[in-house]
Amino acid sequence: TASLQPRRGCILVVLYEAIHVSQQNSPKIHEGWWAYKEVVQGSFVPVPSFWGLVNSAWNLCAVGKRQSPVNIETSHMIFDPFLTPLRINTGGRKVSGTMYNTGRHVSLRLDKEHLVNISGGPMTYSHRLEEIRLHFGSEDSQGSEHLLNGQAFSGEVQLIHYNHELYTNVTEAAKSPNGLVVVSIFMKVSESSNPFLNRMLNRDTITRITYKNDAYLLQGLNIEELYPETSSFITYDGSMTIPPCYETASWIIMNKPVYITRMQMHSLRLLSQNQPSQIFLSMSDNFRPVQPLNNRCIRTNINFSLQGKDCPNNRAQKLQYRGRFYTRQSPEQ
Ligand SMILES: *[C@@H]1O[C@H](CO)[C@@H](O)[C@H](O)[C@H]1NC(C)=O
Ligand SMILES: *[C@@H]1O[C@H](CO)[C@@H](O)[C@H](O)[C@H]1NC(C)=O
Ligand SMILES: *[C@@H]1O[C@H](CO)[C@@H](O)[C@H](O)[C@H]1NC(C)=O
C-alpha cells in the first residue's frame, strides 16, 4: 500500500547511519579477531556464532538474511533455461601464483600480470580470479562449507573472483553490489588426485607452508585443470563466508567434486594455524556452519526434464552427486 513507501525510506536512512557510524568507530585491532574454533586453554576469540556480535562492522554475519554457506536441497532446485555455460578465459596461458598459510586457510593468489577471467552462467559482468581458498575437515565426513542434502564433503575449493568491469580491486568489489563471484568445488578423498590440486598438495609443496605466514611460489599452473569434468552447476545469491560477511557474492557450485588422495588430506591436516614458536593447532575444520536460506532461490542449468517427462523420479537421477552419496556410505577404495 502507498502508506508503506515513506516508512521504508526512513528505515533506509537509519540503517545507512548505523552502518556509517559503526564503520567510523570500529578499531583496526578487530579486523583479524575471529576464528572457526574455540582455542583450548586460550583467550577468547569469537567463533562463527559470535562474529556478528563482537564488531558492529560485521553485523551482517548475525543479522544478514542472504548469508553463506547454505545447505542445498536438490529437490528444491529450479531449472533456469537462461543460464548460459560458464566461460573461463585464461588467454591460453599458464599462470603463476603464491600459496600462503594465512593461519585460517590455504590461499593461492595469482600474480598480477596473469589475468584469468570468468563470465557466463549467472554473471552479467566478467569477473577476475583473485584467490583460490581451501576449506577442509579434521575427518573425511566434514570440511566443506556448503552441504548437499544435509551432507558435508571432506573439503571445498573456492575460487574467488571480483567484478573487474565495475571495480578496481577485490576490496572495493567485496562491499559493492555485484561485486564477487565464488566458484565452489567440493573435495573428496580418493585414490587419484586432481592435477591442479596435486601441484598444490604434493608433499614437497605443502610442507613449505606448514606455519602461519609461510608462502611458496608455484609456476606453470593451468586453472582449467582445477575444474571437474562437468558443465552443470548450481547457483544462488549469498555472502562472503568470513567477516564482514558482505552480501555481495553470487555462488556457483559445480555439479561434480574433485579428488585428492588420503595422503594429501593428511598433509592438509598437518598445517598449523600458528607460527613455529607457538603451539601446533591444526588448520582443519575451517568452515562456517550453514546459514538459513530464507526463501532464496537455488537455480541450476541441469534440465531435469531431458530424461523424460513421465517419471518424476528422474528429477534427481540427473544430478551427478546422487550416486556418489550412496557410495559414500560404503567403505570405498
Ligand atoms: C581479462 O580482462 C581484462 C580486462 O578486460 C583484460 O585486459 C584481460 O586481457 C582479460 N584476460 C583474459 C585472459 O581474457
Ligand atoms: C582499492 O580501490 C580503492 C578505490 O579505487 C582504493 O581506494 C584502494 O586503495 C584500493 N585498495 C587496494 C588494496 O588496492
Ligand atoms: C529441457 O528438456 C525438455 C525435454 O527434453 C525440452 O523440451 C526443453 O526444450 C529443454 N529445455 C532447454 C532450455 O533446453
mmCIF file of all heavy atoms in Angstrom, residues 29-54:
data_model
loop_
_atom_site.group_PDB
_atom_site.id
_atom_site.type_symbol
_atom_site.label_atom_id
_atom_site.label_comp_id
_atom_site.label_asym_id
_atom_site.label_seq_id
_atom_site.Cartn_x
_atom_site.Cartn_y
_atom_site.Cartn_z
ATOM 1 N N ILE A 29 42.086 -2.964 15.365
ATOM 2 C CA ILE A 29 42.530 -4.150 16.090
ATOM 3 C C ILE A 29 41.564 -5.319 15.912
ATOM 4 O O ILE A 29 41.938 -6.481 16.005
ATOM 5 C CB ILE A 29 42.724 -3.815 17.589
ATOM 6 C CG1 ILE A 29 43.510 -4.930 18.298
ATOM 7 C CG2 ILE A 29 41.405 -3.558 18.294
ATOM 8 C CD1 ILE A 29 44.074 -4.495 19.619
ATOM 9 N N HIS A 30 40.297 -5.028 15.601
ATOM 10 C CA HIS A 30 39.293 -6.073 15.470
ATOM 11 C C HIS A 30 39.380 -6.828 14.155
ATOM 12 O O HIS A 30 38.808 -7.887 14.026
ATOM 13 C CB HIS A 30 37.891 -5.460 15.572
ATOM 14 C CG HIS A 30 37.457 -5.260 16.983
ATOM 15 N ND1 HIS A 30 37.637 -6.210 17.945
ATOM 16 C CD2 HIS A 30 36.849 -4.217 17.593
ATOM 17 C CE1 HIS A 30 37.163 -5.771 19.091
ATOM 18 N NE2 HIS A 30 36.687 -4.559 18.916
ATOM 19 N N GLU A 31 40.067 -6.292 13.182
ATOM 20 C CA GLU A 31 39.967 -6.830 11.827
ATOM 21 C C GLU A 31 40.291 -8.311 11.698
ATOM 22 O O GLU A 31 39.657 -9.024 10.960
ATOM 23 C CB GLU A 31 40.817 -6.013 10.859
ATOM 24 C CG GLU A 31 39.967 -5.014 10.129
ATOM 25 C CD GLU A 31 40.751 -4.145 9.177
ATOM 26 O OE1 GLU A 31 41.773 -4.610 8.649
ATOM 27 O OE2 GLU A 31 40.320 -3.000 8.977
ATOM 28 N N GLY A 32 41.293 -8.773 12.450
ATOM 29 C CA GLY A 32 41.653 -10.180 12.344
ATOM 30 C C GLY A 32 41.160 -11.002 13.527
ATOM 31 O O GLY A 32 41.569 -12.138 13.714
ATOM 32 N N TRP A 33 40.274 -10.409 14.323
ATOM 33 C CA TRP A 33 39.894 -11.030 15.594
ATOM 34 C C TRP A 33 38.686 -11.931 15.423
ATOM 35 O O TRP A 33 37.587 -11.595 15.831
ATOM 36 C CB TRP A 33 39.632 -9.936 16.633
ATOM 37 C CG TRP A 33 39.554 -10.448 18.031
ATOM 38 C CD1 TRP A 33 40.479 -11.194 18.696
ATOM 39 C CD2 TRP A 33 38.473 -10.246 18.942
ATOM 40 N NE1 TRP A 33 40.042 -11.472 19.973
ATOM 41 C CE2 TRP A 33 38.821 -10.898 20.142
ATOM 42 C CE3 TRP A 33 37.255 -9.573 18.871
ATOM 43 C CZ2 TRP A 33 37.989 -10.898 21.264
ATOM 44 C CZ3 TRP A 33 36.426 -9.579 19.984
ATOM 45 C CH2 TRP A 33 36.799 -10.225 21.171
ATOM 46 N N TRP A 34 38.901 -13.073 14.782
ATOM 47 C CA TRP A 34 37.834 -14.069 14.653
ATOM 48 C C TRP A 34 38.484 -15.431 14.402
ATOM 49 O O TRP A 34 39.655 -15.497 14.012
ATOM 50 C CB TRP A 34 36.867 -13.723 13.520
ATOM 51 C CG TRP A 34 37.474 -13.595 12.150
ATOM 52 C CD1 TRP A 34 38.016 -12.471 11.601
ATOM 53 C CD2 TRP A 34 37.609 -14.627 11.162
ATOM 54 N NE1 TRP A 34 38.482 -12.739 10.332
ATOM 55 C CE2 TRP A 34 38.232 -14.048 10.027
ATOM 56 C CE3 TRP A 34 37.245 -15.968 11.116
ATOM 57 C CZ2 TRP A 34 38.517 -14.779 8.873
ATOM 58 C CZ3 TRP A 34 37.523 -16.696 9.961
ATOM 59 C CH2 TRP A 34 38.152 -16.104 8.855
ATOM 60 N N ALA A 35 37.733 -16.489 14.664
ATOM 61 C CA ALA A 35 38.258 -17.843 14.490
ATOM 62 C C ALA A 35 37.127 -18.781 14.121
ATOM 63 O O ALA A 35 35.957 -18.411 14.160
ATOM 64 C CB ALA A 35 38.929 -18.314 15.776
ATOM 65 N N TYR A 36 37.485 -19.999 13.720
ATOM 66 C CA TYR A 36 36.482 -21.023 13.432
ATOM 67 C C TYR A 36 36.184 -21.871 14.663
ATOM 68 O O TYR A 36 35.092 -22.373 14.830
ATOM 69 C CB TYR A 36 36.967 -21.941 12.303
ATOM 70 C CG TYR A 36 36.966 -21.281 10.940
ATOM 71 C CD1 TYR A 36 38.138 -20.856 10.344
ATOM 72 C CD2 TYR A 36 35.769 -21.081 10.256
ATOM 73 C CE1 TYR A 36 38.125 -20.257 9.086
ATOM 74 C CE2 TYR A 36 35.742 -20.479 9.008
ATOM 75 C CZ TYR A 36 36.933 -20.074 8.429
ATOM 76 O OH TYR A 36 36.913 -19.477 7.195
ATOM 77 N N LYS A 37 37.213 -22.049 15.505
ATOM 78 C CA LYS A 37 37.068 -22.989 16.621
ATOM 79 C C LYS A 37 37.489 -22.333 17.928
ATOM 80 O O LYS A 37 38.305 -21.416 17.937
ATOM 81 C CB LYS A 37 37.997 -24.196 16.406
ATOM 82 C CG LYS A 37 37.706 -24.991 15.178
ATOM 83 C CD LYS A 37 38.730 -26.107 14.982
ATOM 84 C CE LYS A 37 40.064 -25.603 14.460
ATOM 85 N NZ LYS A 37 40.962 -26.671 14.008
ATOM 86 N N GLU A 38 36.974 -22.843 19.023
ATOM 87 C CA GLU A 38 37.420 -22.418 20.353
ATOM 88 C C GLU A 38 38.881 -22.837 20.506
ATOM 89 O O GLU A 38 39.271 -23.910 20.063
ATOM 90 C CB GLU A 38 36.629 -23.160 21.447
ATOM 91 C CG GLU A 38 35.133 -23.128 21.269
ATOM 92 C CD GLU A 38 34.495 -22.024 22.090
ATOM 93 O OE1 GLU A 38 35.249 -21.296 22.773
ATOM 94 O OE2 GLU A 38 33.266 -21.891 22.031
ATOM 95 N N VAL A 39 39.670 -22.004 21.147
ATOM 96 C CA VAL A 39 41.052 -22.371 21.409
ATOM 97 C C VAL A 39 41.122 -22.997 22.797
ATOM 98 O O VAL A 39 40.649 -22.415 23.770
ATOM 99 C CB VAL A 39 41.970 -21.140 21.335
ATOM 100 C CG1 VAL A 39 43.408 -21.543 21.579
ATOM 101 C CG2 VAL A 39 41.819 -20.451 19.995
ATOM 102 N N VAL A 40 41.677 -24.198 22.870
ATOM 103 C CA VAL A 40 41.795 -24.856 24.171
ATOM 104 C C VAL A 40 42.780 -24.067 25.023
ATOM 105 O O VAL A 40 43.883 -23.746 24.573
ATOM 106 C CB VAL A 40 42.301 -26.313 23.996
ATOM 107 C CG1 VAL A 40 42.247 -27.063 25.315
ATOM 108 C CG2 VAL A 40 41.474 -27.025 22.942
ATOM 109 N N GLN A 41 42.388 -23.734 26.226
ATOM 110 C CA GLN A 41 43.222 -23.004 27.184
ATOM 111 C C GLN A 41 43.737 -21.680 26.641
ATOM 112 O O GLN A 41 44.762 -21.181 27.080
ATOM 113 C CB GLN A 41 44.431 -23.847 27.622
ATOM 114 C CG GLN A 41 44.017 -25.088 28.392
ATOM 115 C CD GLN A 41 45.210 -25.956 28.743
ATOM 116 O OE1 GLN A 41 46.192 -25.991 28.016
ATOM 117 N NE2 GLN A 41 45.122 -26.650 29.859
ATOM 118 N N GLY A 42 43.034 -21.125 25.675
ATOM 119 C CA GLY A 42 43.481 -19.847 25.137
ATOM 120 C C GLY A 42 42.556 -18.731 25.572
ATOM 121 O O GLY A 42 41.576 -18.959 26.272
ATOM 122 N N SER A 43 42.860 -17.518 25.144
ATOM 123 C CA SER A 43 41.966 -16.411 25.445
ATOM 124 C C SER A 43 40.799 -16.455 24.459
ATOM 125 O O SER A 43 40.871 -17.108 23.419
ATOM 126 C CB SER A 43 42.719 -15.097 25.319
ATOM 127 O OG SER A 43 43.337 -15.032 24.068
ATOM 128 N N PHE A 44 39.718 -15.755 24.757
ATOM 129 C CA PHE A 44 38.515 -15.800 23.924
ATOM 130 C C PHE A 44 38.766 -15.198 22.544
ATOM 131 O O PHE A 44 39.252 -14.084 22.411
ATOM 132 C CB PHE A 44 37.383 -15.041 24.619
ATOM 133 C CG PHE A 44 36.168 -14.887 23.748
ATOM 134 C CD1 PHE A 44 35.297 -15.947 23.544
ATOM 135 C CD2 PHE A 44 35.903 -13.680 23.101
ATOM 136 C CE1 PHE A 44 34.183 -15.812 22.734
ATOM 137 C CE2 PHE A 44 34.791 -13.532 22.280
ATOM 138 C CZ PHE A 44 33.936 -14.599 22.108
ATOM 139 N N VAL A 45 38.463 -15.973 21.515
ATOM 140 C CA VAL A 45 38.445 -15.463 20.144
ATOM 141 C C VAL A 45 37.080 -15.833 19.580
ATOM 142 O O VAL A 45 36.655 -16.976 19.708
ATOM 143 C CB VAL A 45 39.560 -16.104 19.282
ATOM 144 C CG1 VAL A 45 39.564 -15.500 17.890
ATOM 145 C CG2 VAL A 45 40.916 -15.919 19.926
ATOM 146 N N PRO A 46 36.363 -14.863 18.975
ATOM 147 C CA PRO A 46 34.991 -15.150 18.559
ATOM 148 C C PRO A 46 34.896 -16.228 17.475
ATOM 149 O O PRO A 46 35.529 -16.132 16.438
ATOM 150 C CB PRO A 46 34.486 -13.809 18.036
ATOM 151 C CG PRO A 46 35.680 -12.954 17.864
ATOM 152 C CD PRO A 46 36.726 -13.449 18.784
ATOM 153 N N VAL A 47 34.080 -17.253 17.747
ATOM 154 C CA VAL A 47 33.776 -18.323 16.797
ATOM 155 C C VAL A 47 32.570 -17.871 15.963
ATOM 156 O O VAL A 47 31.951 -16.857 16.285
ATOM 157 C CB VAL A 47 33.523 -19.655 17.533
ATOM 158 C CG1 VAL A 47 34.801 -20.130 18.209
ATOM 159 C CG2 VAL A 47 32.390 -19.532 18.532
ATOM 160 N N PRO A 48 32.225 -18.607 14.869
ATOM 161 C CA PRO A 48 31.204 -18.107 13.932
ATOM 162 C C PRO A 48 29.933 -17.535 14.561
ATOM 163 O O PRO A 48 29.439 -16.497 14.108
ATOM 164 C CB PRO A 48 30.907 -19.340 13.073
ATOM 165 C CG PRO A 48 32.219 -20.034 12.994
ATOM 166 C CD PRO A 48 32.846 -19.847 14.348
ATOM 167 N N SER A 49 29.408 -18.151 15.615
ATOM 168 C CA SER A 49 28.156 -17.642 16.188
ATOM 169 C C SER A 49 28.338 -16.272 16.855
ATOM 170 O O SER A 49 27.356 -15.594 17.160
ATOM 171 C CB SER A 49 27.592 -18.647 17.185
ATOM 172 O OG SER A 49 28.572 -18.994 18.128
ATOM 173 N N PHE A 50 29.583 -15.846 17.078
ATOM 174 C CA PHE A 50 29.841 -14.554 17.712
ATOM 175 C C PHE A 50 30.355 -13.489 16.741
ATOM 176 O O PHE A 50 30.469 -12.325 17.118
ATOM 177 C CB PHE A 50 30.870 -14.716 18.848
ATOM 178 C CG PHE A 50 30.298 -15.332 20.080
ATOM 179 C CD1 PHE A 50 30.433 -16.694 20.319
ATOM 180 C CD2 PHE A 50 29.611 -14.563 21.019
ATOM 181 C CE1 PHE A 50 29.900 -17.276 21.455
ATOM 182 C CE2 PHE A 50 29.081 -15.132 22.161
ATOM 183 C CZ PHE A 50 29.222 -16.491 22.374
ATOM 184 N N TRP A 51 30.688 -13.901 15.499
ATOM 185 C CA TRP A 51 31.291 -12.942 14.565
ATOM 186 C C TRP A 51 30.496 -11.643 14.478
ATOM 187 O O TRP A 51 31.053 -10.560 14.519
ATOM 188 C CB TRP A 51 31.390 -13.536 13.154
ATOM 189 C CG TRP A 51 32.406 -14.635 12.991
ATOM 190 C CD1 TRP A 51 33.345 -15.038 13.904
ATOM 191 C CD2 TRP A 51 32.575 -15.476 11.837
ATOM 192 N NE1 TRP A 51 34.074 -16.086 13.392
ATOM 193 C CE2 TRP A 51 33.638 -16.367 12.126
ATOM 194 C CE3 TRP A 51 31.950 -15.563 10.596
ATOM 195 C CZ2 TRP A 51 34.078 -17.331 11.207
ATOM 196 C CZ3 TRP A 51 32.385 -16.522 9.686
ATOM 197 C CH2 TRP A 51 33.437 -17.392 9.991
ATOM 198 N N GLY A 52 29.171 -11.780 14.351
ATOM 199 C CA GLY A 52 28.337 -10.600 14.134
ATOM 200 C C GLY A 52 28.113 -9.775 15.388
ATOM 201 O O GLY A 52 27.538 -8.694 15.322
ATOM 202 N N LEU A 53 28.546 -10.295 16.541
ATOM 203 C CA LEU A 53 28.255 -9.617 17.808
ATOM 204 C C LEU A 53 29.439 -8.828 18.352
ATOM 205 O O LEU A 53 29.265 -7.909 19.134
ATOM 206 C CB LEU A 53 27.811 -10.651 18.856
ATOM 207 C CG LEU A 53 26.657 -11.569 18.424
ATOM 208 C CD1 LEU A 53 26.375 -12.616 19.489
ATOM 209 C CD2 LEU A 53 25.399 -10.756 18.121
ATOM 210 N N VAL A 54 30.646 -9.206 17.950
ATOM 211 C CA VAL A 54 31.833 -8.588 18.559
ATOM 212 C C VAL A 54 32.294 -7.328 17.833
ATOM 213 O O VAL A 54 33.098 -6.568 18.365
ATOM 214 C CB VAL A 54 33.021 -9.576 18.607
ATOM 215 C CG1 VAL A 54 32.694 -10.739 19.535
ATOM 216 C CG2 VAL A 54 33.378 -10.077 17.216
#
